[in-house]
Amino acid sequence: MNESDTPSRAGVSRRRMLGGTVAGTLGIAAATALPLSTSTQFGAAGTARAQQAAPSGTYRIDLHSHVLPPDYRAALLSHGHFTIGGYPTPEWSPESALAFMDYYGIQAQALSVSDPGVGFLPAGKEANDMARYCNDYVAGLTKQHPTRFGSFAVLPMPDIAASVAEAIHALDVLHADGIVLLSAYNGVYLGDPSYEPLTIALNERKAYVFVHPAAIPDDAKPTLPLPDFLEEFTFDTTRAATMMMLTGVTQRYPNIRFQLSHAGGTLPFLSWRIGVASETAIGENWPQGLGKPSLLDAKTQISRFFYDTALSASPAAMSAVSAVTSRDHIVFGSDWPFSATTLPQSGTHDPAPGLSDIFDADQRMEVEHHAPLRQLPRLAAAINAG
């Protein structure tokens, strides 16, 4: 599930090198061309209205932000990962993260490793050690800056046994705030029965799980001159969420809180279509009192996901999300440092001005502070104690 050749191949092919360069260039061009906001937009009811005032101060809790520890970034580059999802692999440091947060009024970030996780390394000791290194590194940051950083631990997927062990260590010993999982590993999506032991362990710990999209291998997707983060990432998030519903994961493991990246991909827009079986004779005549299969109860399952605002702070995206869930299931996300071109730390100090096209100040405070902080009790306790 990566953009470069795996260690089992002969190295990075010329096609992928050129493709990554083109995709990266297009990615920057597309990102910088996107408007941050407009003065008048369409509200949830479809009527035009002026932007509303945003809250002031440093209050935002960022549940979609990334970390690239030094050894991890070096390993990515040495294995040919010069782009991630079509975006040039960025640099990261605690100092740059804090400067970004201070500029955009972000009180704290829950840090996570993005695609490709550690799956680009050989399964076994190398992948296991890298996952532990990343998790220890971020745990150190949360101790040094307990009110500024949280952590979503990375696992050595797709090795299930090793991932169960690392999840237990991260949650029980390092006291991570949650776990980050990719939408799929080697083409096997979340919800697959082979992941059951891990899902059981996460459910037992009432884990918060951040679902991040994974790049689809070149031979499994159309050849288009577009970086994955523009479209493919959203589609892969949708596939993962749908598979988790189809296989009953969202029903059997209600203690797990799943956060879907980028406003749930296309899930809100497709919500009726995905649950269309409930509109057929099967759904209409289902016996009362008998539990419904997941896709017959899609409306309920979809409403239970959490949806972040990363690269989705627009009336179109937020109206769709607001139509399928309550506002306490919408959480702020910046996608930094992968969003650095759209958030250049110049001009406005609002990282998501489009949210004011649909939410008032109190509603933004719910989305950007209260809702995310409720899901991370360790971070909430640290902030409240501070």
Side-chain angles (χ1 to χ4, degrees):
M1 300 298 296
N2 51 53
E3 289 212 356
S4 64
D5 292 326
T6 62
S8 63
R9 297 178 184 172
V12 182
S13 69
R14 182 174 181 272
R15 174 177 176 271
R16 288 181 184 247
M17 285 282 286
L18 291 173
T21 302
V22 171
T25 303
L26 286 172
I28 293 175
T32 54
L34 292 174
L36 290 178
S37 178
T38 55
S39 60
T40 302
Q41 286 285 1
F42 289 95
T47 56
R49 68 183 185 187
Q51 267 204 338
Q52 302 171 85
S56 59
T58 301
Y59 68 93
R60 297 178 176 90
I61 307 298
D62 187 352
L63 298 197
H64 186 150
S65 59
H66 296 299
V67 61
L68 291 92
D71 291 356
Y72 175 74
R73 186 175 186 275
L76 283 173
L77 297 178
S78 70
H79 285 77
H81 287 269
F82 305 116
T83 65
I84 304 296
Y87 188 94
T89 302
E91 295 185 357
W92 183 95
S93 70
E95 294 76 20
S96 63
L98 289 168
F100 169 81
M101 292 160 66
D102 290 343
Y103 189 91
Y104 284 111
I106 297 173
Q107 187 173 17
Q109 285 186 331
L111 300 174
S112 62
V113 168
S114 183
D115 178 57
V118 299
F120 66 96
L121 296 169
K125 179 174 172 51
E126 201 168 342
N128 297 349
D129 287 351
M130 183 57 75
R132 180 61 57 89
Y133 159 74
C134 290
N135 294 334
D136 285 345
Y137 180 92
V138 178
L141 286 176
T142 62
K143 288 182 180 178
Q144 186 178 359
H145 304 280
T147 64
R148 303 305 304 274
F149 291 121
S151 63
F152 293 153
V154 65
L155 305 180
M157 292 287 281
D159 185 330
I160 301 302
S163 293
V164 170
E166 186 61 25
I168 292 173
H169 177 79
L171 294 171
D172 294 0
V173 179
L174 298 180
H175 304 295
D177 296 287
I179 299 292
V180 58
L181 292 176
L182 297 181
S183 50
Y185 296 90
N186 296 336
V188 181
Y189 283 85
L190 299 184
D192 189 88
S194 64
Y195 298 156
E196 201 82 354
L198 175 61
T199 315
I200 291 171
L202 296 176
N203 188 67
E204 289 174 347
R205 286 162 178 77
K206 299 180 179 179
Y208 191 82
V209 175
F210 172 38
V211 178
H212 192 278
I216 301 172
D218 284 349
D219 59 2
K221 66 180 179 183
T223 302
L224 299 172
L226 295 171
D228 283 352
F229 79 86
L230 283 182
E231 295 180 343
E232 297 300 332
F233 270 13
T234 64
F235 302 152
D236 224 50
T237 296
T238 306
R239 295 183 188 106
T242 304
M243 284 301 298
M244 287 193 289
M245 290 190 293
L246 176 65
T247 58
V249 164
T250 51
Q251 287 182 318
R252 295 197 310 279
Y253 301 109
N255 292 334
I256 302 176
R257 293 154 293 147
F258 290 104
Q259 173 187 326
L260 303 180
S261 297
H262 310 123
T266 62
L267 183 66
F269 176 80
L270 295 174
S271 58
W272 185 88
R273 186 183 184 104
I274 289 170
V276 72
S278 64
E279 306 296 325
T280 67
I282 298 174
E284 292 171 356
N285 296 311
W286 194 262
Q288 294 231 350
L290 184 64
K292 294 180 180 179
S294 196
L295 286 185
L296 282 182
D297 195 28
K299 183 177 180 180
T300 300
Q301 304 307 311
I302 290 172
S303 72
R304 290 176 179 170
F305 287 117
F306 288 81
Y307 300 81
D308 71 51
T309 68
L311 295 179
S312 304
S314 72
M318 290 297 103
S319 293
V321 173
S322 298
V324 299
T325 194
S326 53
R327 197 156 41 246
D328 60 357
H329 278 59
I330 306 174
V331 296
F332 173 73
S334 71
D335 210 356
W336 195 82
F338 292 92
S339 60
T341 52
T342 57
L343 295 172
Q345 297 177 59
S346 62
T348 176
H349 289 265
D350 187 346
L355 293 180
S356 287
D357 293 325
I358 187 169
F359 299 133
D360 62 27
D362 289 342
Q363 292 167 340
R364 283 196 64 170
M365 183 63 76
E366 171 68 16
V367 167
E368 296 178 280
H369 180 82
H370 297 306
L373 203 57
R374 283 190 205 104
Q375 304 312 314
L376 308 185
R378 184 212 60 80
L379 181 61
I383 288 175
N384 291 333

